[in-house]
């Protein structure tokens, strides 16, 4: 089943709105066929694995990270294909969360669920899966910095950008930067850039080297925000709102078909503080990715004294875990 | 060599001022003897391992996590014992940092160094090794909380208390608590409790159930601090200082023979903020153990906006790493 998840990940960032699925066909203890779902509209993982296995699929066991589909969509049901190939046994990693699919059991369910957390959230709520990302110093200060190598190929930030359909950024984070953030991973899809410009401290400016990209950014600005005239020249979509709030921005993204969004705090401004508060209160945020920077910053307040009764209002995070990614230390959790 | 470190750790908290050392004697690919240094004044690891190996030590290889001693102290030099037993080869994990011992190479040196970070620091500087411990929420607030099970047997906090000779605590952290913090690990030694009482917000009070412990705490108070009359009744050592500073407290601890101290921020008060600042500026702190709590706390300031130019004054931490300990997420680093 772990192998299923491993090969399923080959399609990371390409399967939306479908889930990533891997299938391994095993006969007499040997792998006779493997496959994964590469892209929406293309055949499912089971079909590729059955093709690879050929006649060897007879009496074999098929491992699938997600329960095989049993309904007619763009493709015929995989259950039929498995039966036709005379597979003896099917082992399922997780049952399909899609309400139109019925189900019972799961092997390595936790792993299979993490693989498709975006898909599961989206199929159940129809809302985008939103991850809050930020960097924090060892003494608890949110920082604009990214760890060394994080934006380069293989770095965690580059990998995050590959996994999400869009990124919500403060306009301030672009001031002086040479280009819009983009994943450095191979064959990654273009990420939708959602730039927030507030009148308080985050003017809408394009990066220095902005070129007419194939996939243009969208700008959300409050009515008093400073918008660079170049933005109009480039014909970039600009949505002006009376009040900048996270909810309406997410609704807009949903209508654009964006299933997953990264809310990135770089170029931190007052409006993002409000977004986080609103996001937590209204359950618009699903996940947190926190990078712990190897620094102790700010000489004045070396470590902050907590306010009295601070611990009373608490939101718990689930499944907290940490991992090293190319030398950067990440902590992840779920709201 | 990893086995050496593993068995050396059996003596955790008992070897001061000596290092923890493990020795494994291998002949023809088989372990024929093992030993570790249990306590200052008792024989070294090599002696126990040679005893266990007996005649099999002849022509064998001895692995030692720290370079064998070659000088006369309370015990005869281990190099002589190894030669006498006709050991063919000695593999050394790390060379002895003690200036009176000469040296060249190391196998798994990093691991062997971490095992004895306290000893190494102490032998080189003669000052106590000080570790700052605190808990932080996911949104960067220092908290008085400890993670679930942290104080129980096997919990990281209980294990930390076992590793250090003393703990520096705010008097405020004891208010209402039933006893002084103590390790729950088996056969752990008594930890010296150093209680700081400042006139601002941390009166010197004894815990509710204070009994005349074998090893009494020491109180450091500034001249205007409120000191519970019970403290005098119990005859507890109270040091009154004009100004509470970390340096003089550490010097005092050094004179008491305490080689390692935990500076714990629970019951956080203004004075500890000063201690941390002073400790970083004057290089009195060596290590950080930060527990990441699975919570998002404080509704008002969901996430704090960093001050301008905050990133300019930065102290880097080395060897940042994270680990799970019985369900608690810890990040460790070195100043």
């Amino acid at each position: 089943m772990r192998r299923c998840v491993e090969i399923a990940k080959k399609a990371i960032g390409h399967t939306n709105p479908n889930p990533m699925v891997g299938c391994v066909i095993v006969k007499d203890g040997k792998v006779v066929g493997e496959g994964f779902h590469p892209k929406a509209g293309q055949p499912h993982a089971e079909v590729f694995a059955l093709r690879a296995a050929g006649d060897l699929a007879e009496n074999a066991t098929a491992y699938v990270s997600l329960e095989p589909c049993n309904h007619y969509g763009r493709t015929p049901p995989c259950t039929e294909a498995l039966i036709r190939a005379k597979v003896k046994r099917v082992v399922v990693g997780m049952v399909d969360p899609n309400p139109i699919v019925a189900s019972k059991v799961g092997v390595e369910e936790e792993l299979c669920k993490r693989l498709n957390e975006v898909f599961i959230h989206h199929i159940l709520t129809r809302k985008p899966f939103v991850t809050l990302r930020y960097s924090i110093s060892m003494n608890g200060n949110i920082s604009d910095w990214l760890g060394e190598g994080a934006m380069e190929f293989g770095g965690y930030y580059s990998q995050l950008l590959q996994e999400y359909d869009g990124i919500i950024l403060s306009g301030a984070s672009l001031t002086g930067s040479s280009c819009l953030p983009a994943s450095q991973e191979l064959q990654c899809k273009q990420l939708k850039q959602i730039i927030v410009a507030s009148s308080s401290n985050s003017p809408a400016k394009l990066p220095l080297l902005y070129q007419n990209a194939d996939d243009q950014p969208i700008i959300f600005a409050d009515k008093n925000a400073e918008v660079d005239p170049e933005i109009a020249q480039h014909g970039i979509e600009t949505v002006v709102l009376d009040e900048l709030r996270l909810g309406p921005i997410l609704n807009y993204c949903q209508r654009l078909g964006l299933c997953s969004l990264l809310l990135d705090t770089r170029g931190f401004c007052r409006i993002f503080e409000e977004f986080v508060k609103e996001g937590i209160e209204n359950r618009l945020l699903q996940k947190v990715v926190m990078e712990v920077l190897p620094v102790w910053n700010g000489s004045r307040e070396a470590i902050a004294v907590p306010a009295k009764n601070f611990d009373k209002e608490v939101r718990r995070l689930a499944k907290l875990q940490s991992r090293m990614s190319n030398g950067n230390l990440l902590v992840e959790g779920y709201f």
Side-chain angles (χ1 to χ4, degrees), chain A:
Chain A
M1 195 55 71
R2 292 206 187 132
R3 175 71 186 147
C4 290
V5 171
E6 203 180 308
I7 57 177
K9 278 189 185 164
K10 288 184 183 175
I12 204 160
H14 291 282
T15 61
N16 281 349
N18 285 2
M20 288 176 269
V21 184
C23 175
V24 176
I25 297 176
V26 177
K27 191 170 186 176
D28 304 329
K30 275 185 193 152
V31 172
V32 295
E34 289 186 343
F36 64 94
H37 179 50
K39 208 178 164 176
Q42 293 205 5
H44 289 181
E46 299 91 323
V47 174
F48 287 105
L50 287 171
R51 270 186 209 161
D55 290 345
L56 293 173
E58 196 173 330
N59 280 319
T61 299
Y63 293 87
V64 200
S65 60
L66 179 74
E67 184 182 2
C69 68
N70 194 21
H71 60 279
Y72 283 86
R74 287 198 228 175
T75 55
C78 289
T79 45
E80 278 189 16
L82 290 162
I83 293 166
R84 225 175 16 247
K86 294 179 188 154
V87 163
K88 198 168 134 197
R89 201 164 70 107
V90 178
V91 180
V92 170
M94 68 166 283
V95 294
D96 197 319
N98 192 326
I100 62 169
V101 178
S103 55
K104 284 129 238 146
V105 282
V107 169
E108 291 269 13
E109 197 178 9
E110 193 49 44
L111 192 68
C112 298
K113 277 188 172 170
R114 280 215 177 208
L115 173 70
N116 282 307
E117 55 193 18
V118 166
F119 168 76
I120 296 168
H121 175 78
H122 190 251
I123 202 105
L124 293 176
T125 68
R126 292 284 150 204
K127 295 193 164 168
F129 182 93
V130 184
T131 294
L132 174 67
R133 190 219 69 87
Y134 54 97
S135 302
I136 197 167
S137 72
M138 282 289 282
N139 50 330
N141 291 308
I142 308 298
S143 170
D144 269 4
W145 288 6
L146 282 180
E148 237 171 272
M151 288 189 99
E152 293 161 21
F153 170 74
Y156 90 91
Y157 195 80
S158 168
Q159 288 183 335
L160 271 184
L161 295 182
Q162 179 189 29
E163 284 174 36
Y164 289 81
D165 292 347
I167 181 170
I168 303 175
L169 285 166
S170 149
S173 75
L174 301 173
T175 313
S177 67
S178 56
C179 54
L180 291 168
S183 176
Q184 304 303 313
E185 305 309 296
L186 304 170
Q187 300 183 303
C188 67
K189 66 168 188 299
Q190 179 71 32
L191 178 83
K192 194 77 183 169
Q193 316 270 356
I194 296 124
I195 299 167
V196 176
S198 91
S199 52
S200 55
N201 52 1
S202 163
K205 257 188 173 302
L206 286 176
L208 295 174
L209 298 178
Y210 180 76
Q211 309 259 324
N212 237 341
D214 295 338
D215 211 354
Q216 285 199 328
I218 308 175
I219 313 244
F220 284 91
D222 67 22
K223 55 188 177 193
N224 300 317
E226 226 183 281
V227 176
D228 195 338
E230 228 192 313
I231 287 170
Q233 275 171 34
H234 280 286
I236 293 170
E237 186 175 354
T238 305
V239 182
V240 178
L241 298 168
D242 276 354
E243 191 196 4
L244 280 172
R245 291 186 64 233
L246 185 61
I249 294 175
L250 294 182
N251 289 342
Y252 198 99
C253 292
Q254 185 181 343
R255 285 196 296 274
L256 292 176
L258 304 176
C259 298
S260 56
L261 292 159
L262 202 59
L263 179 61
D264 191 336
T265 69
R266 279 187 309 145
F268 211 80
C269 59
R270 190 59 61 178
I271 196 72
F272 272 63
E273 209 177 337
E274 294 298 318
F275 280 5
V276 171
K277 202 177 145 192
E278 180 195 344
I280 292 176
E281 277 171 8
N282 299 346
R283 304 194 175 275
L284 303 174
L285 303 178
Q286 278 66 53
K287 189 177 178 178
V288 173
V289 174
M290 165 172 104
E291 179 185 5
V292 180
L293 296 168
V295 298
W296 196 273
N297 61 5
S299 65
R300 276 285 192 80
E301 300 153 275
I303 198 166
V305 173
K308 279 223 187 295
N309 300 323
F310 207 72
D311 284 340
K312 282 194 179 164
E313 278 205 59
V314 159
R315 183 87 56 169
R316 287 216 148 249
L317 282 113
K319 296 181 201 162
L320 211 63
Q321 61 175 32
S322 68
R323 62 185 175 97
M324 293 299 290
S325 171
N326 260 14
N328 303 130
L329 198 160
L330 304 179
V331 177
E332 300 182 343
Y334 294 84
F335 279 111

